[in-house]
Amino acid sequence: MLEKPNLKQFTSIMTFGLFTMVLTHTLTHTFQNIHTTLFPVLKQEFNLGYYELGLIAAIPPLCQAILSIPAGMLSDKLGTKKMILFSQLLSCAGSLIAGFTMNPWMLIAAVSLLYLNTTFYHPPSYSYVTKTSKPQDRSKALGILGAGGTLGMAIGPLSISFLMGYLAFQWRQVYLFWFFPILIGTFMILKLRSEPSQPTSTKAKEGIPSSEAKTVVTRSMLFFIMFNAVKTLGTVMVSGFLMLYLVQSKGWSVGDAALLISGASMMGVIAAPLGGFFADKVGEKKWTVLTTTAGAISFGVAFLVPWGFAFTAFYLGYGFFNLLSMASNSSLTAKLSPSRQRGLGFALYFLPGSIMGVLAPMVSAFIASNYGLPPVFFTATAVLLLCVPVLQFGVKVD
């Protein structure tokens, strides 16, 4: 029987460095779902169609895809502190531009900067955590880091619901509101040492086959990238048009729909660290296969049930299972990457998200324009199930 997790197991590995990474990870992801949550408002204000909304969703990830590999290489070369500081400056610039947007093109430019913030942030931050954590605590530490990101994804739409619904903010003011917390995170980064030293025990237990230890580009890594690409295709197909589906097809208010999306992400505060604990016990690959399968099934059922409560329950279940696999995915990346190329390894890990972030909204826009919104989600279910055999049969780990 598996040992039950307890709070002491997680607090014992919390250092100032990990806390700072969790906080900045939260702030980094705060903006990720704001523009898609605002799609009903933007569609009306700028008189946009599905294809125009697809472009707003697709162009920022395209910028990510172009710069993802250079970001990882720079992280390995320049170190964590400089790269994370640079990413925070991009976030500051993006939030200011979004706060004074006058047309859709300014918004695209602002969101692109906010997305590039995550591109330059992820490789050094994840590399920092893997280098400063012990092998037996790596998945737990990555789970805590992932919890910060999911908290940010939840806070973004939630801030729309609160600031616009209760404090009468305009949507531009929501972006300006988040400018000041980013500055606090930036000052905390300044207190970190420039480059963490990796524990000796970690170097001896990297989990990489000796024949593959000299390069990050291996057969298993390529299949792992393929797995993430297929999974992300299904996930992003959903995210861009779920708000429209809930508002237009289900008759939900923007505030209620934003609360659902925030709730699905908010569960990551518990699910991500919990998933890290069980990944250490069960094994990263097996845990990822189990949780990904359960999440895809829960997602498909959500769009088959006829009543709102069941839809909410199964959709939240999809979010919970999806977030349970965050730490195991990150830990698999660390296992498949040599220490000296850890930044590049995590850049490759996040690259599929950028590429599919470009492709998926356009696929969704095509399906929605020609067949309606519901087929978007049934197609996404099939895609989410398709990624499981890619991981199971293509990725080999010690």
Side-chain angles (χ1 to χ4, degrees):
M1 183 178 292
L2 290 176
E3 176 190 358
K4 293 183 179 180
N6 58 69
L7 184 61
K8 184 177 179 180
Q9 291 173 311
F10 294 105
T11 56
S12 63
I13 62 176
M14 180 62 74
T15 62
F16 175 77
L18 179 57
F19 176 78
T20 300
M21 292 301 164
V22 172
L23 175 63
T24 52
H25 199 199
T26 299
L27 296 173
T28 291
H29 280 290
T30 298
F31 298 102
Q32 184 166 333
N33 291 329
I34 286 183
H35 67 294
T36 53
T37 304
L38 289 170
F39 267 5
V41 178
L42 298 174
K43 186 176 188 294
Q44 181 177 7
E45 178 172 335
F46 295 118
N47 192 27
L48 303 174
Y50 286 133
Y51 282 113
E52 288 81 2
L53 292 173
L55 283 175
I56 293 176
I59 291 177
L62 175 61
C63 298
Q64 283 187 310
I66 293 172
L67 293 176
S68 183
I69 299 301
M73 297 174 69
L74 284 172
S75 175
D76 290 326
K77 185 176 181 179
L78 300 179
T80 57
K81 186 172 181 178
K82 291 180 181 178
M83 290 297 294
I84 296 176
L85 284 174
F86 177 67
S87 74
Q88 300 306 292
L89 292 177
L90 289 176
S91 186
C92 289
S95 61
L96 287 176
I97 294 174
F100 296 97
T101 293
M102 294 184 291
N103 54 63
W105 296 110
M106 282 186 68
L107 180 63
I108 290 173
V111 176
S112 295
L113 288 174
L114 294 170
Y115 267 54
L116 286 176
N117 162 39
T118 65
T119 302
F120 286 95
Y121 175 85
H122 278 142
S125 64
Y126 275 77
S127 179
Y128 181 96
V129 172
T130 59
K131 288 180 178 179
T132 55
S133 58
K134 299 176 181 178
Q136 65 269 25
D137 294 328
R138 177 180 288 168
S139 291
K140 299 184 190 73
L142 289 170
I144 295 172
L145 179 63
T150 59
L151 178 62
M153 294 179 192
I155 289 177
L158 194 62
S159 68
I160 293 174
S161 180
F162 178 75
L163 295 175
M164 295 180 66
Y166 295 97
L167 300 182
F169 276 42
Q170 300 298 311
W171 66 265
R172 294 170 178 83
Q173 294 172 318
V174 175
Y175 280 101
L176 293 176
F177 172 85
W178 286 109
F179 172 81
F180 298 101
I182 296 171
L183 290 180
I184 297 175
T186 303
F187 287 127
M188 292 184 67
I189 292 294
L190 290 171
K191 294 184 176 294
L192 292 177
R193 58 173 180 251
S194 296
E195 186 63 22
S197 58
Q198 183 167 319
T200 304
S201 58
T202 304
K203 296 175 183 178
K205 298 181 179 181
E206 283 297 326
I208 308 168
S210 58
S211 60
E212 298 183 358
K214 295 182 179 180
T215 178
V216 71
V217 183
T218 63
R219 177 185 180 277
S220 288
M221 176 59 90
L222 292 176
F223 271 100
F224 186 58
I225 293 172
M226 187 184 304
F227 157 75
N228 281 305
V230 177
K231 183 179 180 180
T232 307
L233 174 61
T235 303
V236 181
M237 282 181 66
V238 176
S239 61
F241 287 84
L242 179 61
M243 279 292 295
L244 291 174
Y245 172 77
L246 294 175
V247 173
Q248 295 183 2
S249 300
K250 290 287 190 179
W252 291 28
S253 69
V254 173
D256 288 342
L259 284 175
L260 175 67
I261 295 174
S262 297
S265 296
M266 187 68 74
M267 289 188 301
V269 176
I270 297 175
L274 191 65
F277 175 87
F278 284 113
D280 278 334
K281 302 298 180 181
V282 176
E284 294 90 349
K285 178 181 172 180
K286 183 177 181 180
W287 183 250
T288 302
V289 169
L290 290 173
T291 53
T292 302
T293 303
I297 293 173
S298 182
F299 177 81
V301 173
F303 289 91
L304 290 174
V305 293
W307 62 96
F309 177 80
F311 169 84
T312 301
F314 279 105
Y315 183 79
L316 291 176
Y318 152 72
F320 185 77
F321 285 118
N322 194 39
L323 293 165
L324 279 175
S325 66
M326 284 188 65
S328 55
N329 270 335
S330 302
S331 191
L332 278 172
T333 305
K335 278 194 169 185
L336 295 170
S337 307
S339 178
R340 62 185 178 82
Q341 292 184 307
R342 193 62 53 76
L344 179 58
F346 278 105
L348 290 172
Y349 169 60
F350 288 105
L351 179 60
S354 303
I355 296 175
M356 292 305 165
V358 179
L359 177 62
M362 304 313 297
V363 172
S364 297
F366 173 81
I367 296 174
S369 296
N370 290 279
Y371 305 104
L373 287 172
V376 171
F377 307 106
F378 297 126
T379 304
T381 303
V383 172
L384 289 171
L385 287 171
L386 181 63
C387 72
V388 176
V390 177
L391 175 64
Q392 178 64 37
F393 300 109
V395 179
K396 307 295 181 183
V397 293
D398 288 347

